[in-house]
Amino acid sequence: MNLFMKVALITDVHGNASALKAVLNEIDQMAEIAHIYCLGDMVSIGPATNVVLDLLFSRKDLSMLTGNHDEAVLAIINGEPHPTGHIHVKEHHEWIAKRMHPDFITILEELPRTIQHTIHEHSVFFSHYHMESKNLNEHISKNPFSKIVEPSLGNLEGLFKDHHHDLIGFGHHHPTHHFQNDRTIFLNPGSLGCTVEPMAPYAIVTIEKTGIQVDIEKVPYDNSSFLMSYKSLQVPEHEFIIRAFHGGQKA
């Protein structure tokens, strides 16, 4: 039996295939990484929906859960109500929905919202972001994810006060979060696909009986073709997206 287990955490790829390829290539060079967990929002914002989903769904060593953008796009595809909290991006979600390959829709629909395991006697819990237990099965149109809190240990302890785990991994809020008290590590590796520089973040978590170690990594990549694709594909509000989610970088 292995005395430890190394896993990688990625989140908020947001249609950025260039960043995802760079991170997966680096992970694949590490023989000790046993599994990858993707914590939601694979699609929307960036335009490479099908490439991203193909890269993720084709792997046997990766588990995924859904985020608010994934579910909002699925709602449009299925003719269901779109979340009122996302009304400002409805046109963008419609653009993504029209271009999603049908083969990916059912697989995406079947993904869970939470993942929980016990690894070397440690309880680990993953979700896209906090949801109250009463909201776990609410449709995305009801905006079930909690309001984002500013990253601090106290705020995250309050947000996840009903969760008793050794590691809580999440995404949704794009900056990196890494906080710890005497019981729990709160970890958001940061948005892999939405950064203000061509560096894609992810986390390596080493779990052994004596404790959990977290290493935040950043992978440099060439994002020029990705940034140019916003204009060439005429992504709705692409100029705003590049300013808001990519720091106004130039291709």
Side-chain angles (χ1 to χ4, degrees):
M1 178 180 177
N2 290 335
L3 298 178
F4 66 90
M5 181 176 180
K6 282 183 181 285
V7 300
L9 266 58
I10 64 175
T11 191
D12 294 83
V13 178
H14 281 300
N16 187 341
S18 299
L20 179 61
K21 288 177 183 177
V23 169
L24 292 178
N25 285 341
E26 181 164 291
I27 290 172
D28 286 341
Q29 305 307 309
M30 304 177 196
E32 291 182 336
I33 301 294
H35 204 76
I36 305 168
Y37 292 94
C38 181
L39 308 185
D41 275 5
M42 289 73 71
V43 308
S44 185
I45 299 180
T49 300
N50 294 319
V51 179
V52 163
L53 292 178
D54 184 55
L55 285 167
L56 295 171
F57 287 138
S58 65
R59 297 187 69 102
K60 305 300 183 185
D61 61 345
L62 189 146
S63 299
M64 303 163 62
L65 48 81
T66 56
N68 52 301
H69 284 270
D70 309 311
E71 294 186 21
V73 171
L74 285 174
I76 288 172
I77 290 171
N78 292 325
E80 298 167 355
H82 187 262
T84 56
H86 292 50
I87 191 65
H88 58 295
V89 292
K90 185 176 182 181
E91 180 186 1
H92 179 75
H93 284 163
E94 290 171 340
W95 188 92
I96 297 292
K98 288 177 182 177
R99 288 158 178 79
M100 185 183 292
H101 194 286
D103 288 351
F104 298 133
I105 295 171
T106 300
I107 308 173
L108 200 57
E109 288 176 324
E110 292 176 349
L111 294 178
R113 277 180 166 169
T114 64
I115 296 172
Q116 184 173 345
H117 294 306
T118 299
I119 303 174
H120 290 302
E121 301 182 23
H122 293 287
S123 174
V124 299
F125 176 81
F126 302 128
S127 64
H128 183 59
Y129 202 61
H130 176 266
M131 284 189 290
E132 294 185 17
S133 57
K134 65 180 181 180
N135 294 335
L136 277 173
N137 296 313
E138 288 279 13
H139 189 268
I140 190 61
S141 62
K142 303 295 184 181
N143 298 302
F145 291 99
S146 297
K147 184 177 179 181
I148 287 176
V149 301
E150 286 302 309
S152 71
L153 178 58
N155 283 345
L156 292 170
E157 286 174 330
L159 188 67
F160 290 99
K161 62 182 181 297
D162 296 326
H163 290 265
H164 307 289
H165 306 283
D166 300 295
L167 171 67
I168 296 176
F170 57 97
H172 193 44
H173 196 188
H174 291 179
T176 299
H177 304 42
H178 181 200
F179 300 96
Q180 183 172 1
N181 58 24
D182 58 1
R183 166 64 195 272
T184 302
I185 295 171
F186 302 93
L187 176 62
N188 173 355
S191 173
L192 183 152
C194 294
T195 58
V196 299
E197 57 182 348
M199 301 285 287
Y202 72 102
I204 297 174
V205 181
T206 304
I207 305 169
E208 50 191 330
K209 188 173 181 179
T210 55
I212 299 174
Q213 176 183 324
V214 173
D215 294 292
I216 305 294
E217 307 290 344
K218 288 187 177 182
V219 184
Y221 70 102
D222 182 354
N223 68 353
S224 55
S225 60
F226 168 69
L227 292 173
M228 286 190 292
S229 71
Y230 277 103
K231 184 175 181 180
S232 64
L233 295 172
Q234 288 298 295
V235 178
E237 299 191 32
H238 59 269
E239 293 180 352
F240 167 77
I241 290 173
I242 290 173
R243 286 198 308 272
F245 295 101
H246 303 293
Q249 295 176 81
K250 303 295 183 183

